Amino acid sequence: MSAEPLAPSEPARRLDVLIVGLNHAPETTGIAPYTTGLAQMLAQDGHAVHVVTGMPHYPQWRVADDYRGARRARHERDGTVRVTRVPHPVPARPTGASRIGMEAVFALRAAMVRGPRPDVVIAVSPALLGVGAARWIARTWGRGCPVGVIVQDLYGAAVAEAGALGGRGAGAVARLEHSLLAGADGVVAVHDVLRDALLRTGLPTERVTTIRNWTHLDEQPDTDIAAARRELGWPQGEAVVLHAGNIGAKQGLDGVVEAARLADARGLPLRFVLLGDGNQRARLVEAARGVERFTVVDPLPTEAFRTALAAADVLLLHERPEVAEMCAPSKLTSYFAAGRPVLAATNDTSAAAREVRTAGAGPIVAPGDPAALVEGALALVADPAAGARHAASARRYAAGSYGVDAAHARYGAWVRDLADRVTTDHGDLADVLPLTPQEIS
């Protein structure tokens, strides 16, 4: 599929589009910006868009203050987009079982939302069980209502790579994921690595396409680096290695703490900074007690976030060694556009490694090796010319591969194509969800 930007075209007809996805604005990281952006794109094309989503909770894993205590669905507007939020539990520690429980409640309540007959139903995975809700909604309207799924992460691979449910549990999740996706009329993978993995499970080639995530941050004007670093409290004379985004288990950020500890021991001019929130943050802060060259920064609003990326010397992508094909980190769309070199501590076969290598964005070091992380950062800092070349290459790649206009055009075409398809049998809710409405009432 060509990567050059394409102008959005007028839809052949106005469609009623229902999107089912757990994450949506005002969440600013992870999947939410893309689900929110998709809805706005389709609304700009003249379609009537209704989003069924959950309560804002990510990456903090607690419900946002304005939404706490909600027991009924809440109805909002985001421009012309209708947004219905259904209540669900949010586990403070999102282990495999507790996260599946949250998603099951979300899916069942999403399946109960009523509205006009949709021409197309789109599910965003994760949450994986939301795909079951989308298929149920389509089934309730009878034949002729197609279902599309956007795969941001491979759920089965995530469970297996994280070791969350044991071998048998991971196998069951993988089989469920395949069953849910096989019942869809079309599937979007946000990276070719994900598409290849989906095809290996036996999904028909003609049903799976790749549409890249886009850079959802506006172009950053020239930044006064010294002023920005003073505002952020970053000492002058230290090279800042910045990890921005979710502070969760998947990222394996204990390695960053240990890299900072090594930098302390060697008296190196490096500072490792985590910018964001997540369920591992408090534990990491405690583990880093007494480590001088380690800093955690609260999530920042969009403009300040862009400034922080530009003010760093190195942007860090860090993943657990087991992570290979579960996802293509969304942070890279922002990293590449920021004009800074990227240091990736990730499995050499991962989607992230392929993306960093293709973009020429920076070096890749072994994950789970704090010493390799320190040496990679020192090498980048010691060669500013190489860092500038990496940054310029990443920016060029982002402009060609992460353009919002290209994504807009391709999603518009995909949705119109779905609306014209003869649909499959989308099954019964009881076939794909482990709970009943009575069990969660």
Side-chain angles (χ1 to χ4, degrees), residues 20 52 106-114 132-134 136-137 140 429 433:
V20 179
V52 178
F106 165 73
L108 285 162
R109 288 181 171 154
M112 299 174 199
V113 173
R114 292 294 174 261
W136 171 253
I137 292 167
T140 63
L429 186 65
L433 296 180

Side-chain angles (χ1 to χ4, degrees), residues 6-26:
L6 302 174
S9 58
E10 290 298 319
R13 60 189 174 99
R14 180 181 181 275
L15 301 172
D16 279 284
V17 181
L18 177 65
I19 300 174
V20 179
L22 178 61
N23 301 100
H24 189 273

Side-chain angles (χ1 to χ4, degrees), residues 336 340-344 353 355-357 359-365 380 386-387 389-391 393-394:
F336 289 176
R340 310 305 296 159
V342 175
L343 175 61
E355 198 75 349
V356 171
R357 193 179 295 117
I364 298 168
V365 300
L380 272 177
R389 289 193 297 272
H390 287 309
S393 178

Side-chain angles (χ1 to χ4, degrees), residues 121-373:
V121 181
I122 299 171
V124 180
S125 179
L128 175 62
L129 296 180
V131 181
R135 286 177 50 183
W136 171 253
I137 292 167
R139 182 180 175 85
T140 63
W141 290 106
R143 239 179 126 70
C145 184
V147 173
V149 181
I150 300 170
V151 178
Q152 292 280 356
D153 289 353
L154 288 177
Y155 209 96
V159 171
E161 291 172 4
L165 296 175
R168 294 180 65 181
V173 171
R175 290 191 295 274
L176 172 63
E177 181 173 45
H178 176 74
S179 174
L180 288 170
L181 297 180
D185 299 285
V187 176
V188 164
V190 299
H191 193 280
D192 287 335
V193 167
L194 303 187
R195 181 178 186 273
D196 293 345
L198 290 170
L199 294 179
R200 287 197 297 273
T201 69
L203 292 185
T205 303
E206 64 275 10
R207 285 197 194 177
V208 186
T209 189
T210 301
I211 303 178
R212 294 293 193 93
N213 285 335
W214 58 93
T215 298
H216 57 86
L217 297 178
D218 296 333
E219 186 173 346
Q220 173 73 13
D222 290 340
T223 300
D224 184 334
I225 301 297
R229 290 167 74 105
R230 284 195 300 271
E231 180 72 20
L232 290 161
W234 297 345
Q236 301 299 317
E238 292 183 345
V240 172
V241 182
L242 174 67
H243 179 281
N246 183 40
I247 304 176
K250 180 177 68 178
Q251 288 73 32
L253 294 170
D254 296 84
V256 179
V257 173
E258 294 311 308
R261 201 184 305 276
L262 283 175
D264 275 1
R266 295 170 57 184
L268 298 175
L270 295 176
R271 175 161 298 274
F272 291 87
V273 178
L274 304 186
L275 167 57
D277 206 343
N279 67 299
Q280 296 296 304
R281 175 172 163 160
R283 186 185 64 78
L284 290 170
V285 168
E286 180 61 28
R289 187 182 296 275
V291 179
E292 181 182 344
R293 289 167 172 80
F294 179 82
T295 302
V296 178
V297 177
D298 289 339
L300 296 171
T302 299
E303 184 175 347
F305 178 77
R306 290 199 306 263
T307 298
L309 294 185
D313 296 280
V314 177
L315 299 177
L316 174 63
L317 182 139
H318 198 279
E319 294 182 323
R320 288 164 52 116
E322 301 86 357
V323 173
E325 59 181 22
M326 63 187 282
C327 66
S330 58
K331 64 167 52 68
L332 291 180
T333 64
S334 300
Y335 277 15
F336 289 176
R340 310 305 296 159
V342 175
L343 175 61
T346 183
N347 188 310
D348 195 58
T349 65
S350 70
R354 181 186 295 192
E355 198 75 349
V356 171
R357 193 179 295 117
T358 302
I364 298 168
V365 300
D369 186 343
L373 181 56

